[in-house]
Amino acid sequence: MNYTEFFKKIDAEIKKADSIVILRHESPDPDAIGSQVGLREIIRATYPEKTVYLLGEMPSSLTYIGEMDEITQEQFDASLIIVLDCANTPRIDCPFEVDPSNVIKIDHHPDRDVYGAISFVDTNSSSTSEILCRFVFGEESTWKVSKEAANALYAGIVGDTGRFLYPATTAVTFAMVSKLLEFDVDISGIAYHMITNPVSVSRLAGYIYQNMEISENGVAATILSQKDLEHFGIEEDQTHGVISLPSTVEGIHCWALFVEQPDGSYRVNLRSKGPIVNEIAQNHGGGGHPLASGAVVSTLEEAHQIIAELNESAKAFLSAR
Ligand SMILES: [Mn+2]
């Protein structure tokens, strides 16, 4: 990937704009918010005269990285739009209508839904936050890093690498983190936010360990109803804190967490240590990485269909080993 060339392209667009809106995917994770806040802080540090807005729904669990803004349609229409960490246009989280052909896309997910007037996708990068690090720390970079930018980008990288445990973690990842740490990154503060859960979520974690269905192919699945959420007293967005739990259980290759929505549909997160799961998500109108993806399904029947497809994928993975 030609980072220098793209850096110059996006920098030229930012220079031309007085006002910039930064978007990312819905149901955000630390990389979505970290890259969003990180880029805003880079622009603030480099071009203090420009106005930068961040839009999208914000779960309370991620406000330690930064906060979103509220703007008018007029302000939105007058802004350069940058979309981060969002593989497909239906997942762009924005209260206004977005013309995908008119945005700058920066992402590390497989580029199936090609969009953007300018598009930079590096699937070898651990995270969108890591891509932004490579821009800002590039040899010909004119961008500045602040403590605020470094903390947000660090949180994004730590989030998407599962604290440097996932295979997407590379020598480049550590090189970028090493540079970020020169800007007073609160490592233990960020770790505290990432590893602690409210008591209610911890109780739910116990429930999932106790009740997840495990198949002979090493597929684990949990379906949470609205009643379950009520019973544990947790908000829907807090279930993100328990998605990765089955990864610590021996013999589990991939897993699914279904959470019933108020309208009766189910949001599902798929995670894997080998079997490909994003094709399954795509079959059901979702998307994501080969090893981490999501979708929304309308019925319990379709949820069980996904579990069956996970078993097929796990079987294929096991027989190919
Ligand atoms: Mn990401």
Side-chain angles (χ1 to χ4, degrees):
M1 294 307 297
N2 193 330
Y3 274 84
T4 306
E5 185 193 322
F6 186 81
F7 168 78
K8 286 178 180 166
K9 269 191 197 175
I10 178 180
D11 184 51
E13 294 301 314
I14 290 173
K15 270 187 186 141
K16 279 191 270 178
D18 295 326
S19 163
I20 298 136
V21 166
I22 306 176
L23 305 171
R24 40 70 187 171
H25 63 77
E26 58 190 12
S27 304
D29 52 23
D31 185 39
I33 304 297
S35 59
Q36 205 181 16
V37 173
L39 182 56
R40 177 186 65 194
E41 297 303 327
I42 287 169
I43 296 171
R44 276 183 177 168
T46 311
Y47 303 110
E49 71 284 4
K50 297 189 188 297
T51 313
V52 188
Y53 302 110
L54 309 185
L55 302 184
E57 299 256 340
M58 189 66 182
S60 56
S61 58
L62 292 175
T63 51
Y64 70 92
I65 304 176
E67 301 275 1
M68 298 294 110
D69 301 302
E70 282 183 18
I71 63 171
T72 64
Q73 179 80 55
E74 288 67 36
Q75 287 171 309
F76 182 76
D77 292 341
S79 298
L80 168 70
I81 313 294
I82 302 176
V83 181
L84 301 175
D85 200 43
C86 187
N88 37 5
T89 52
R91 294 199 77 214
I92 298 173
D93 189 348
C94 183
F96 307 105
E97 200 171 320
V98 180
D99 173 6
S101 67
N102 204 21
V103 306
I104 296 176
K105 173 187 185 183
I106 304 174
D107 191 21
H108 67 122
H109 300 87
D111 201 16
R112 298 243 162 65
D113 182 3
V114 179
Y115 68 89
I118 298 174
S119 170
F120 185 87
V121 174
D122 183 2
T123 53
N124 291 318
S125 188
S126 71
S127 51
T128 301
S129 297
E130 183 181 311
I131 293 176
L132 294 178
C133 287
R134 291 186 68 179
F135 287 140
V136 75
F137 295 126
E139 260 177 39
E140 295 188 49
S141 170
T142 48
W143 288 357
K144 295 189 180 125
V145 184
S146 61
K147 176 184 169 179
E148 290 73 22
N151 274 275
L153 294 173
Y154 176 81
I157 293 173
V158 172
D160 259 23
T161 60
R163 292 177 256 153
F164 310 109
L165 296 176
Y166 301 153
T169 310
T170 66
V172 174
T173 311
F174 282 107
M176 293 303 118
V177 166
S178 165
K179 289 181 189 293
L180 288 176
L181 296 191
E182 291 171 23
F183 294 86
D184 196 15
V185 171
D186 183 10
I187 294 178
S188 53
I190 290 169
Y192 176 84
H193 284 291
M194 287 195 175
I195 66 176
T196 58
N197 283 313
V199 172
S200 56
V201 177
S202 304
R203 301 259 194 240
L204 174 66
Y207 173 85
I208 290 176
Y209 277 133
Q210 194 86 38
N211 294 286
M212 61 186 173
E213 300 267 357
I214 302 174
S215 80
E216 58 182 353
N217 303 309
V219 176
T222 305
I223 300 176
L224 296 175
S225 65
Q226 284 279 311
K227 266 200 176 140
D228 293 328
L229 298 187
E230 240 169 73
H231 171 78
F232 289 103
I234 67 168
E235 298 297 323
E236 200 260 325
D237 67 38
Q238 291 180 296
T239 59
H240 285 277
V242 295
I243 291 169
S244 67
L245 287 185
S247 70
T248 62
V249 180
E250 260 177 13
I252 290 180
H253 305 296
C254 58
W255 60 97
L257 176 67
F258 296 87
V259 180
E260 188 185 10
Q261 306 296 297
D263 68 358
S265 65
Y266 290 83
R267 177 176 59 75
V268 59
N269 280 282
L270 306 177
R271 294 292 183 271
S272 175
K273 293 179 173 173
I276 304 301
V277 296
N278 61 341
E279 287 163 6
I280 299 170
Q282 283 157 25
N283 291 344
H284 297 271
H289 303 259
L291 304 182
S293 47
V296 176
V297 301
S298 44
T299 61
L300 210 48
E301 211 176 10
E302 196 178 356
H304 286 289
Q305 177 62 33
I306 286 186
I307 297 169
E309 289 172 39
L310 282 173
N311 273 286
E312 289 308 313
S313 185
K315 240 192 247 173
F317 169 75
L318 291 170
S319 64
R321 280 206 301 195

